[in-house]
Amino acid sequence: VDVLKATALPLLKKFGIDGESLEIKINRRGMPPKAGGEILFACPVKKVLQPIQFTDPGKIKRIRGTAYSVRVSPQMANRMVESARSILNKFLPDIYIYTDHMKGVSSGKSPGFGMCLTAETINGTVLSAELASNPQGQGAAVLPEELGQNCAKLLLEEVYRGGCVDSTNQSLALLLMTLGQRDVSKVLLGPLSPYTIEFLRHLRSFFQIMFKIETKTPEEEHMGGEKVLMTCVGIGFSNLSKSIR
């Protein structure tokens, strides 16, 4: 949910879904296996989606994150922050990771901890990575230090993959492009994830829409993996729902 809050909301705003009422609020944090979390999601109703031209991700300017702990010592979150910073500080000075400790009523029914990191660029691209501890009684116990370092490495891998949308939100961006106005939308993505490839097949089945896919090799050195430029013309979907008085 932290990843959605940090990455999906800015993406929705690019398509014209914005306003004060667009928010994700975490009332209670639940960890597996017993869960017990509570999220409030509010979104304004929009009639149409805007087409986007989002092809320049820009350079990374800052890293933000949240280290959360539920029904465990608050020290766990601090330990994760320390180990993540030990890797990320080599690349960037502007790093701030919040700690979020939940206990009592505001926590779920199972103990656990996790971390969400996001890298923001000068052009408004947000790339994210997330890791959480293994559920109680399942798998080996994870040290907070290991989890923090692994999460930092996942974020660096996401930066290497690059593109204007991270691998978690590739399918959301493509869906919103499909449902946009009858106009050309373009977005630059990193290597497509297996989930996104399957999702493109679903889009073809449901909307008979085909994307033009062009491979872009990084022009400069140190620009990460190969990129894919996705282009499509929206189907012109409009939301006709009306409230009944």
Side-chain angles (χ1 to χ4, degrees), residues 193-207:
S193 66
Y195 181 91
T196 308
I197 293 165
E198 198 56 49
F199 190 78
L200 283 167
R201 293 182 184 129
H202 290 321
L203 287 178
R204 188 179 62 190
S205 311
F206 277 81
F207 298 109

Side-chain angles (χ1 to χ4, degrees), residues 54-61 120-125 163-164 223:
F54 197 20
T55 55
D56 182 12
K59 296 246 187 322
I60 305 283
K61 65 173 178 179
E120 297 173 38
T121 73
I122 49 179
N123 290 353
T125 298
C164 298
M223 282 290 282

Side-chain angles (χ1 to χ4, degrees), residues 169-215:
N169 290 300
Q170 284 175 351
S171 52
L172 176 63
L174 298 177
L175 176 65
L176 294 171
M177 283 164 67
T178 303
L179 294 172
Q181 294 300 284
R182 292 183 187 279
D183 202 346
V184 177
S185 282
K186 284 185 182 181
V187 71
L188 186 74
L189 301 177
L192 298 180
S193 66
Y195 181 91
T196 308
I197 293 165
E198 198 56 49
F199 190 78
L200 283 167
R201 293 182 184 129
H202 290 321
L203 287 178
R204 188 179 62 190
S205 311
F206 277 81
F207 298 109
Q208 285 75 55
I209 196 157
M210 301 274 275
F211 278 78
K212 182 183 172 193
I213 303 175
E214 297 167 74
T215 313

Side-chain angles (χ1 to χ4, degrees), residues 40-109:
L40 177 76
F41 172 61
C43 181
V45 177
K46 293 286 174 187
K47 195 172 178 190
V48 291
L49 294 171
Q50 297 169 359
I52 62 162
Q53 305 287 324
F54 197 20
T55 55
D56 182 12
K59 296 246 187 322
I60 305 283
K61 65 173 178 179
R62 63 181 179 195
I63 291 174
R64 294 288 178 267
T66 308
Y68 52 87
S69 51
V70 178
R71 291 185 177 269
V72 292
S73 160
Q75 202 54 38
M76 295 288 194
N78 298 337
R79 284 162 65 184
M80 283 187 285
V81 173
E82 292 278 319
S83 60
R85 288 191 73 111
S86 70
I87 289 181
L88 298 174
N89 274 340
K90 297 172 189 169
F91 302 99
L92 204 67
D94 188 357
I95 299 171
Y96 196 89
I97 304 172
Y98 300 89
T99 54
D100 185 10
H101 178 61
M102 294 276 192
K103 58 183 182 188
V105 185
S106 60
S107 69
K109 296 171 184 166

